[in-house]
Every structure is written in C-alpha cells, then in structure tokens.
Amino acid sequence: MEAEKKLERMRELHRQLKEAARAYYQENSEIMSNFEYDALYDELLELEKETGIVLANSPTVKVGYEIVSELPKEAHIAPMLSLDKTKDREALADWLQGREGLLSWKLDGLTNVLTYREGALVKALTRGNGEIGEIITNNAKVYKNVPLSIPYKGELVVRGEAVITYSEFERINGEIAETEAKYKNPRNLCSGTVRQLNNEITAQRNVLFFACTLVSMEPELSLATRKEQADFLASQGLTCVEACLVTPGTVAETVGEMEQRLPGNDFPSDGLVLTFNDIAFAESLGRTAKFPRDSIAFKWADETAETELLEIEWSASRTGLINPVAIFAPVELEGTTVSRASIHNVSIMEGLSLGIGDTVEVYKANMIIPQIAANLTGSGTAKPPEYCPVCGEPTTLKEENEVKALYCMNPECPAKKVKSIAHFVGRDAMNIEGLSEATIEKLLNEKLIARAADLFRLSGHREKIVAMEGFGERSYQKLLSSVESARTVSPARFLYSLGVPGIGLSTAKLVCRAFDEEIERVMNAKPEELVAIEGIGEVTAEAFAAYFAEEKNRQEAEELLSFLTLERPVAAAGELPLAGKTYVITGKVFHFSGRPELKAYIEERGGKVTGSVTAKTDYLINNDAASQSSKNKTAKELGVAVITEEEFLEMLGGKEE
C-alpha cells in the first residue's frame, strides 16, 4: 500500500471508529460489533506503526468523546483510560511476566466513580469523555446495592460499573407493548437509566453497582495488593465484581472456566479484566497515552455460526446503486433466527470470494445486524448481474477509491422513483408524514403519482386513495394535511429534498446562505462560485452544477417550486450579523430548547458552529465561563473569547421571539 493510500485509509478508519465510539458513548447505541471495532482499531494501529504518523485525535491516543447530556459536569481526579486488549488467552500468561494477577469479569454497563467523604456518599460521576464526567449523585443514591454510609471516615474514591441484569431487562421490556420502543440490550437501558434527570425512574429499575477499582483514599491504609483492596471495599458494604487470583500457569484454564459460566450469568459481560495483584509493581509500570500498563482486557469473540450461502439478492436505491444482500440457510444467533445479511458493495463480495453453495461464517454486528465474517469455501463464482433486477435495463460497474459498486443507469427505474420520493418526503427534507416506501410504491403502481410533484395533486384522487389497502378516509385526510403543511419550506430543505449528489442538509444551508436564500441563483450557480464557499470541494461543485444543467432535473425543480412557498430564514433578508464568525457551544443553554436550536440560530445569521475549539474559533459559548473543562482550557490557551449565552445575545441586541 503506497504512503498516500495508507494515509487515506487511516483517515477513513478514524471516521468509522469515531462514529462508532460517538454512538456508543454519547447516544447509547451501537453501529458495529466489538468484532468489527477491534479489527478496524488493530488495522489503524498497524498503519500508524508502519507510517510513523498519528493523526490528530486518533482513537489510539485519545479516550472518549464530548458528553452531550444536560447533567452537570465535573473533572475526574485522574483520567479514565481504556484498557489494552487481547483475544488470545495464552497471551495472558506471557503478559503476567511470572507474577500473580487478579482476573475479574469485564462488565458491560456504564462506568461510575463514587466518592465517599466522612462515611457518606457525596458524589457520583459517569465516565463521560474520560476526563470530565456527568454528575449523577442523586441517581447513584437510589441504586439497589450502593451503601449511602460506610465505616471508613476518610475520603474514598472507587470506580465500578452500573449494570442492569438480564432478568430486570426482560421485566422492563415486558412492560412495553410496542416492539420498536423496547430497549435493544441491558447496556443501553442502563445508560439511559443512570443518566435520568428524575431519580425516581432510576429507583424503579433496580440498577446494581459493582466496585472494580479503588482509585484513591485519604488517609491511606496499608493495602499491598488488589485483592486486599477488593476485600477492603467489600468490608465497607460495596458489592465488588467477582475476581480470582491467577498465575501464568492457571490463567488460561481459569478463563476457560469463566467462559463456561458466561451463559448462566444474569449480568452482562463482554470479557474479562486481568490486573497485576501487587500494587507497588503495578503502579511502577505507569501508562501509555492510551492505556494503563497494569491491566489488560480479554475480549470474548462474537457468536458466529456456519451456514450455506443460498442466493445473492441485489437491492436497488434512488441513486441507482445496486447493493448485494446474502441469503443463507437460517441459523440461530444471539437468540434469534437470521437468514440474510447486507454485503454493502461488489468489492466486499469479491473480497469474500462468495459463491452460491459456499459455507460462510456469520455473526450479528451489535448483536442486531447480521454480517458475514468469513467465507470458508471461497469459490468466488458470484458475479454482479448484467441487468437491473427491478427494471431489466443494463447495469454498469463503477470503481471509485478502489471500491467497486454496481449501478442501474435507467432514469425511469421504478426502484429509483420509490427511493427518490422517499428521500423527498423525509424528515430533513419536505417532512411529509404518512408516506412510507410501501405507500409510495402503492401510489406509483396505481399510477396516482409518477414523480414528487404529483404528491401536491393527491387531492384529485380521493376515492382511489381511500379505497387502497391499508388506507381509509382518516389516513387520506392525515396525508393530505401533511402535504399541505409541506407547501411552506426553507430554501435549504427544498434543495436537500431534490437529492442533488453530495448535498446533505448542512451543505444545502451553506449553499443557500451564500446566495442570499435566492433559489434561482442557487440553481444557476457555477462550479467556481460554489468552490468559493467554505466546505464545498471541486467534486461536489461540479456534480451540483451538472445536476441543474440537466434539463429534466431543472424542469422537475421548477415544477415543484410552482407548488411551494419558500420561507427565508429570519436574517436572510438583510445583512447577516454573524457572517464570518465561528462559534463552539458547550454546556447547558437557557434561552433555547437546547444546543441544536442555538446552533441553528447562529447559522441562520451567517455564523458557523463547529465541535472543537481551534485557532479559527471566534467565541466559545459556555454559561459556566469559569469552568475548567477541556474546551475552556483550550480557548484560554488560544486566546479565544469565552462568553455566556447572555453575552452572546447582548451582542445581537437580544433574542428575536
């Protein structure tokens, strides 16, 4: 791999790993399994070793992401680092270096840090971003097993995991009628429960806290080993995570024994933690930028199953992209039966050397999404279809950035129409409710619509729509009302609704703002004008101009505009007061419903909002201007003004209502 390609791959790995970590730590969801995350992480680590380059904010050197809840925040007394990991149980023996270790369950919950002072629980923090946590003291006080008072009268700081057991998880989900509203797994439920603003809800969910590490104590007691520390914590009434002493000769066998017990555990665990028992030796090892050297995590592999590949189904999209989907003999994974998995693109299909009849190994990413882990046969006989499976027109194989993808080039392909109209009515576009892909397909099949503009003519087809399966007068009236509401829309949402290549909602806002929200100027924009807009590259600019240069696209846009009233943002009519200014927002806000509303408020007035404080930042908005948060510290180091929300609004002469 050439140096440039390696660097590009590293950037892509950064993006994927950060997206996964943000979803896991901030949104309490999972978009990839540990299996996938570990593989990508190891690939990035290897590329960094090969190139000698570590990009800014690399997942291999920075722990965690910005916390986004409205809970108060506070810095940890010591950074909370991730653990280095292995899936090789034999490697654990070498890691011990001939010493005694303590092996415990790696619980899959939410990390908490509890502080006791003068025998009373005075503070509880979440892990947060590793440096700053959310204060959840009121919630921790109603955990099922946390003592509010302990015998030790000094200051004691202990780290552990808050978890919800499988049985409690099943009980809570059993009380929720709607399938889509049920919680995906115990960790997601626990994370949401621990961070409740109302601790009455927390109390109802029987959260357990398992102490894992004694972080600090003052005055110190003479405790020479981790085992002695655990015994001391237990003597204070804390429930400690189960742990046992091991040696290089017994560690692999003990791991095997614990693995056998895993299915019978009522608490969620995604592996084990091995730490040196001797505290003095452990502390002498120090730490790397990413990991402490005194502990290592052993991760369980994802549950996999072997099965036969029966078919490859090809699924078309609004852009003409046709993705392969593997259909295999049904297998049981993570408690459910699965029989299909997305393959994403032709390159992945070829990389797996797939062929009908092959024996493949499958697993469930995030314990939800079926994926193919490996092909044990590797016949490589599967080929992309020469004709679109929906319209029957010839397909084209394209390669971009070494990724092969299959496309249908027929502009009238029914699949394109369904997906294109579904995009048009989406929440961030025209926001027309009641139009699922299935409903759009019915309307197309009944020839009640042929393109997006026909949605504004549905009032002329009342009898036919009311008679459609799954419809009725009430559904028809709701749909009509939603269509009518969509007739007034901002230029940016309209532009985004068209599905112009490379134009997301944020980019659409940038473009519309640059042309004073005048849609005719936007549609006539030349590539050189677009490139002059910060954030628009040459490829996007060329694709944008080419889209509106095509007569069919232009006519469809103008037809849609004949049904719409474009509502210009508040400050668009005159000079934008925040033009050229860059802001970062952190902490609570009081004059807006949340930070997203404040962000939109700034953008409507010409300003730009970013997630990180840099030398290009003009203002950091933080109502706690004296905070010692990492953003405040960076702002002070760079000479960036830290202002409160009140000061920001005063600069604008007050908030318009």
Side-chain angles (χ1 to χ4, degrees):
M1 203 186 292
E2 298 167 7
E4 190 174 335
K5 289 181 179 177
K6 286 181 180 179
L7 196 56
E8 190 60 37
R9 178 58 180 162
M10 287 166 68
R11 291 194 179 104
E12 175 60 16
L13 290 168
H14 268 222
R15 185 191 66 76
Q16 293 182 43
L17 291 169
K18 287 191 173 186
E19 191 173 302
R22 181 177 289 108
Y24 188 82
Y25 286 113
Q26 290 183 229
E27 301 166 6
N28 308 320
S29 63
E30 298 173 335
I31 60 174
M32 67 173 64
S33 68
N34 288 342
F35 181 94
E36 290 174 290
Y37 187 93
D38 290 348
L40 295 177
Y41 183 96
D42 290 342
E43 183 183 352
L44 176 59
L45 199 59
E46 191 57 37
L47 285 170
E48 288 179 344
K49 289 177 183 175
E50 288 177 20
T51 62
I53 298 170
V54 179
L55 297 172
N57 299 319
S58 170
T60 64
V61 296
K62 184 177 180 180
V63 182
Y65 288 83
E66 180 188 359
I67 48 182
V68 297
S69 83
E70 294 301 316
L71 292 165
K73 302 167 183 70
E74 184 174 305
H76 292 291
I77 62 172
M80 297 176 64
L81 303 177
S82 300
L83 296 181
D84 201 356
K85 63 188 182 305
T86 183
K87 292 183 179 179
D88 181 0
R89 64 193 64 197
E90 302 301 331
L92 296 176
D94 294 333
W95 183 87
L96 279 171
Q97 304 175 47
R99 295 177 176 271
E100 188 177 56
L102 196 65
L103 187 68
S104 61
W105 297 106
K106 186 176 183 295
L107 301 178
D108 192 17
L110 192 72
T111 303
N112 286 187
V113 178
L114 308 185
T115 299
Y116 288 87
R117 196 173 293 129
E118 296 181 0
L121 176 62
V122 295
K123 190 192 309 174
L125 295 175
T126 65
R127 180 185 188 279
N129 66 3
E131 294 183 356
I132 299 171
E134 301 151 305
I135 300 174
I136 52 156
T137 311
N138 286 342
N139 290 323
K141 286 181 176 179
V142 297
Y143 288 175
K144 191 176 179 181
N145 66 334
V146 166
L148 299 181
S149 300
I150 61 172
Y152 181 74
K153 300 306 178 187
E155 181 171 281
L156 178 71
V157 181
V158 59
R159 183 163 63 237
E161 290 284 310
V163 303
I164 286 179
T165 62
Y166 287 118
S167 54
E168 184 68 7
F169 171 74
E170 295 297 336
R171 180 190 71 78
I172 294 169
N173 261 354
E175 296 172 355
I176 301 172
E178 302 82 6
T179 301
E180 61 273 17
K182 292 180 184 290
Y183 294 95
K184 295 293 186 293
N185 55 54
R187 185 195 179 277
N188 286 9
L189 172 58
C190 183
S191 184
T193 300
V194 166
R195 297 157 76 188
Q196 286 287 328
L197 297 179
N198 178 0
N199 69 351
E200 184 178 355
I201 297 173
T202 309
Q204 294 168 357
R205 294 181 178 174
N206 296 320
V207 179
L208 296 173
F209 175 80
F210 290 91
C212 301
T213 306
L214 196 163
V215 179
S216 67
M217 60 191 311
E218 179 63 42
E220 289 190 17
L221 301 180
S222 181
L223 303 173
T225 67
R226 298 294 186 198
K227 181 67 169 62
E228 288 177 10
Q229 285 187 343
D231 291 342
F232 168 74
L233 293 176
S235 74
Q236 302 301 302
L238 288 154
T239 305
C240 293
V241 63
E242 183 188 341
C244 55
L245 292 171
V246 293
T247 64
T250 64
V251 64
E253 182 183 353
T254 306
V255 168
E257 291 171 356
M258 295 180 81
E259 186 176 24
Q260 292 296 315
R261 292 172 51 199
L262 189 63
N265 287 345
D266 194 27
F267 54 82
S269 168
D270 58 357
L272 303 170
V273 174
L274 179 62
T275 186
F276 288 107
N277 193 35
D278 187 316
I279 295 172
F281 175 75
E283 291 179 347
S284 72
L285 298 174
R287 70 185 198 195
T288 67
K290 172 74 175 178
F291 307 120
R293 290 193 173 99
D294 67 341
S295 303
I296 189 170
F298 173 81
K299 302 293 292 288
W300 308 116
D302 294 276
E303 181 182 347
T304 61
E306 291 182 18
T307 184
E308 180 185 0
L309 183 64
L310 303 177
E311 180 188 352
I312 292 181
E313 183 182 280
W314 295 84
S315 176
S317 71
R318 72 177 175 88
T319 61
L321 180 65
I322 307 174
N323 282 334
V325 178
I327 311 297
F328 44 81
V331 290
E332 190 84 8
L333 280 177
E334 308 286 356
T336 61
T337 302
V338 296
S339 58
R340 52 192 294 129
S342 173
I343 309 173
H344 302 300
N345 56 54
V346 175
S347 289
I348 292 176
M349 182 187 78
E350 292 178 346
L352 288 166
S353 298
L354 294 177
I356 307 305
D358 283 354
T359 299
V360 294
E361 189 175 65
V362 297
Y363 72 102
K364 288 178 74 173
N366 321 325
M367 297 193 295
I368 300 170
I369 306 168
Q371 301 280 298
I372 295 179
N375 183 359
L376 306 182
T377 309
S379 67
T381 56
K383 304 296 178 189
E386 296 180 2
Y387 300 94
C388 174
V390 178
C391 69
E393 292 294 311
T395 57
T396 299
L397 193 63
K398 296 182 179 181
E399 184 170 345
E400 189 174 339
N401 296 325
E402 298 186 347
V403 175
K404 294 181 185 176
L406 189 70
Y407 288 86
C408 170
M409 306 307 291
N410 174 17
E412 298 302 314
C413 179
K416 286 186 180 180
K417 287 190 175 183
V418 171
K419 303 285 186 180
S420 178
I421 295 174
H423 173 80
F424 177 80
V425 304
R427 182 175 297 175
D428 288 338
M430 301 302 289
N431 194 26
I432 301 177
E433 297 179 356
L435 281 173
S436 64
E437 287 191 13
T439 299
I440 292 168
E441 194 169 353
K442 285 180 185 177
L443 294 171
L444 286 166
N445 290 340
E446 293 290 332
K447 297 186 170 30
L448 300 178
I449 61 172
R451 54 192 180 276
D454 292 334
L455 294 170
F456 298 100
R457 302 185 179 99
L458 287 178
S459 58
H461 302 289
R462 177 188 166 278
E463 290 184 8
K464 287 186 177 180
I465 295 174
V466 169
M468 280 170 49
E469 184 183 351
F471 260 75
E473 183 64 34
R474 188 175 177 183
S475 297
Y476 166 75
Q477 291 298 339
K478 281 184 69 176
L479 175 58
L480 212 62
S481 174
S482 189
V483 169
E484 289 303 308
S485 297
R487 288 179 184 270
T488 301
V489 68
S490 71
R493 286 167 75 96
F494 168 71
L495 177 60
Y496 172 66
S497 77
L498 298 177
V500 180
I503 303 299
L505 182 57
S506 295
T507 307
K509 288 179 179 178
L510 287 175
V511 173
C512 289
R513 193 180 302 131
F515 292 96
D516 297 325
E517 308 294 332
E518 295 177 13
I519 202 66
E520 283 298 324
R521 290 179 61 196
V522 169
M523 291 164 61
N524 291 321
K526 294 180 172 53
E528 55 269 26
E529 293 177 295
L530 293 162
V531 169
I533 302 170
E534 186 178 356
I536 307 290
E538 287 185 18
V539 174
T540 299
E542 293 288 348
F544 188 100
Y547 178 89
F548 286 107
E550 193 171 321
E551 188 62 27
K552 177 176 173 292
N553 293 336
R554 169 76 64 156
Q555 287 177 355
E556 287 186 359
E558 289 176 348
E559 183 183 14
L560 283 166
L561 286 169
S562 70
F563 293 101
L564 304 174
T565 299
L566 296 189
E567 188 175 59
R568 301 175 75 186
V570 176
E575 185 179 348
L576 296 171
L578 303 182
K581 299 296 183 184
T582 300
Y583 294 81
V584 173
I585 309 165
T586 190
K588 280 187 178 181
V589 295
F590 303 105
H591 294 272
F592 298 84
S593 62
R595 283 181 284 184
E597 187 189 352
L598 175 53
K599 179 176 184 286
Y601 186 86
I602 292 170
E603 290 176 343
E604 284 170 2
R605 287 152 183 78
K608 180 180 178 182
V609 179
T610 62
S612 303
V613 178
T614 70
K616 294 183 178 180
T617 305
D618 292 291
Y619 297 99
L620 169 63
I621 300 175
N622 185 353
N623 284 316
D624 183 5
S627 165
Q628 292 302 303
S629 71
S630 58
K631 284 183 178 175
N632 275 37
K633 287 178 181 176
T634 302
K636 288 170 184 174
E637 288 169 3
L638 296 174
V640 173
V642 181
I643 61 174
T644 65
E645 193 181 359
E646 290 280 1
E647 290 169 328
F648 164 72
L649 291 172
E650 284 173 11
M651 290 178 179
L652 289 172
K655 181 184 177 186
E656 303 100 326
E657 298 299 333

